[in-house]
Amino acid sequence: MGANVYNPERKLKTELINDHFQNYKRYHIPKAQLVIADIPYNLGNNAYASSLEWYVDGDNKKGESDKANKAFFDTDNDFRISEFMHFCSKMLIKEPKDKGKAPAMIVFCAFQQMQMVIDYGKKYGFNNSYPLVFIKPSSAQVLKANMKIVGATEYAVVLYRDKLPKFNNGAQKDAEGKTIRGTGKMIKNWFEWKQDDKKVYPKIHPTQKPVNLLKQLIEIFTDEGEVVIDPCAGSASTLRAAAELNRNSFGFEIKKDMYLKANAEMLSNIPAPMVQECLTI
């Protein structure tokens, strides 16, 4: 089951599908220039262990809340990365002959999972990779602030097959469409993690990625009109970011309640593309 948001003036499609990405063949979605996914971090029953949400009203004197000893979602324990990589290998466009047009995938994961993501990627043809780091202004590990150095970063891995993926860094083009060397901005492998304004983008998933951060990544690796796929869509923030940037987007979300909430709150009021307000960094 899927829900579509279609704007005939832009001829764009935004579709969130309530199903497992394994069943992608039945939906006939187009292949993507970019796959973005936030895979389960395998935190198990310790998902809230470093968060105040473990306790009632965030106060450890009031005892444990209903989130104590709970995973974020029961589906997290069933995630199989081999099936995920197989899906990505099938749903990314083929390696083009021309340089600067190859597809890529971005996998958000825990630091401890990065090597696993890289190793499984190689098994499915993603021979190359490099890490991304996202710097947060504060840490969610408030319960451990007086015990150790706390984490204030998120991680992702960019994977691609053989040719370097499409890279938009604001470089100028000559009359023949060739990039003029030295005219683009340097984009480093770390990004600032700024939370979205909740009045603009609702927070509906515990591990939701900021829409504006996703916009930066989507702009770097895709052009307008191309396709972005999120196999683990959750809040559908990736789809929202892509739609606002004039990209087609498709996502899979297996949890029915999350699917309904994402459609109602994240995808129901997508504005016109804000290209002028979100140029490549």
Side-chain angles (χ1 to χ4, degrees), residues 220-253:
I220 291 169
F221 293 100
T222 68
D223 292 322
E224 288 191 22
E226 293 182 332
V227 175
V228 178
I229 293 178
D230 187 342
C232 312
S235 66
S237 55
T238 297
L239 278 65
R240 176 67 179 263
E244 289 189 4
L245 291 176
N246 231 5
R247 276 73 166 171
N248 295 283
S249 55
F250 301 84
F252 292 84
E253 174 51 44

Side-chain angles (χ1 to χ4, degrees), residues 44-71:
N45 292 342
N46 288 315
Y48 296 93
S50 297
S51 170
L52 288 176
E53 293 180 85
W54 187 277
Y55 298 101
V56 175
D57 298 329
D59 187 348
N60 58 3
K61 295 180 181 178
K62 294 184 178 181
E64 295 180 341
S65 71
D66 57 1
K67 294 181 179 179
N69 295 302
K70 296 288 181 64

Side-chain angles (χ1 to χ4, degrees), residues 6-174:
Y6 179 70
N7 188 322
E9 295 180 1
R10 292 185 287 160
K11 297 182 179 180
L12 287 178
K13 192 170 185 180
T14 303
E15 182 174 1
L16 181 62
I17 300 168
N18 182 210
D19 202 348
H20 195 287
F21 59 76
Q22 273 186 297
N23 301 320
Y24 69 94
K25 289 184 179 180
R26 68 180 62 168
Y27 299 101
H28 306 290
I29 64 176
K31 294 191 176 185
Q33 180 70 33
L34 176 66
V35 168
I36 298 182
D38 182 15
I39 66 173
Y41 287 15
N42 293 328
L43 298 175
N45 292 342
N46 288 315
Y48 296 93
S50 297
S51 170
L52 288 176
E53 293 180 85
W54 187 277
Y55 298 101
V56 175
D57 298 329
D59 187 348
N60 58 3
K61 295 180 181 178
K62 294 184 178 181
E64 295 180 341
S65 71
D66 57 1
K67 294 181 179 179
N69 295 302
K70 296 288 181 64
F72 286 136
F73 296 100
D74 53 9
T75 52
D76 289 357
N77 297 324
D78 299 325
F79 184 79
R80 298 173 183 174
I81 192 168
S82 58
E83 295 174 356
F84 166 77
M85 286 295 181
H86 177 263
F87 167 87
C88 295
S89 67
K90 295 296 183 182
M91 288 310 300
L92 279 174
I93 63 170
K94 292 182 179 179
E95 197 90 328
K97 294 181 179 179
D98 297 334
K99 291 183 179 180
K101 295 184 178 181
M105 59 187 294
I106 302 172
V107 181
F108 285 91
C109 59
F111 178 80
Q112 295 84 349
Q113 294 175 308
M114 295 177 77
Q115 191 59 52
M116 176 191 70
V117 169
I118 293 169
D119 291 342
Y120 270 93
K122 288 181 178 178
K123 291 181 180 180
Y124 288 87
F126 300 101
N127 300 316
N128 301 282
S129 63
Y130 57 85
L132 297 180
V133 180
F134 305 92
I135 311 298
K136 293 182 173 181
S138 60
S139 175
Q141 297 177 329
V142 292
L143 298 179
K144 297 181 179 179
N146 293 323
M147 300 166 59
K148 67 170 191 175
I149 295 175
V150 295
T153 54
E154 295 267 348
Y155 302 92
V157 180
V158 177
L159 301 103
Y160 56 100
R161 296 183 181 111
D162 295 308
K163 295 180 180 178
L164 281 169
K166 180 175 290 186
F167 179 59
N168 296 323
N169 67 336
Q172 298 177 15
K173 307 284 185 179
D174 62 19

